[in-house]
Amino acid sequence: MRINITAKSIWNWLALLQSKVDDLFDFWFKKLSKATKKELPKETNKVKKAGYKLWWFIWNVWKSYYKKYNEIKEEQAKK
């Protein structure tokens, strides 16, 4: 009986940790999204432009993944 309680506590802490990591990623990617939406001056070097485009791409991949992930979790919760 004690083992079950300990196992449940461990899983609860791991779920909380995953939730907090998700929140951090979401916060970080939102900050990056705001930075990459800015219009860059024409004299901006190509490396910086490429970096902004890369972050924009990563942000969109993340949003798509997270949206699908949440849809799957909601569907599973209904069952």
Side-chain angles (χ1 to χ4, degrees):
M1 191 90 170
R2 178 85 174 127
I3 292 174
N4 289 341
I5 294 170
T6 303
K8 187 175 181 179
S9 294
I10 290 170
W11 281 115
N12 287 341
W13 278 105
L14 288 174
L16 178 65
L17 179 63
Q18 180 180 356
S19 173
K20 296 305 174 190
V21 168
D22 288 346
D23 291 344
L24 275 172
F25 271 101
D26 190 46
F27 172 78
W28 187 57
F29 276 107
K30 282 181 182 176
K31 289 285 186 186
L32 287 174
S33 176
K34 287 179 184 176
T36 58
K37 285 182 181 177
K38 294 178 184 173
E39 218 27 66
L40 296 175
K42 289 193 180 223
E43 63 272 0
T44 303
N45 67 36
K46 290 181 180 182
V47 173
K48 190 171 183 179
K49 284 182 183 179
Y52 273 76
K53 287 181 181 180
L54 176 64
W55 282 121
W56 182 83
F57 174 76
I58 291 170
W59 169 246
N60 283 316
V61 169
W62 176 258
K63 283 194 313 186
S64 297
Y65 161 78
Y66 211 69
K67 180 180 175 187
K68 185 64 176 176
Y69 174 79
N70 284 330
E71 288 172 3
I72 291 170
K73 291 307 250 178
E74 287 174 8
E75 186 177 307
Q76 287 177 346
K78 289 179 183 177
K79 292 181 181 180

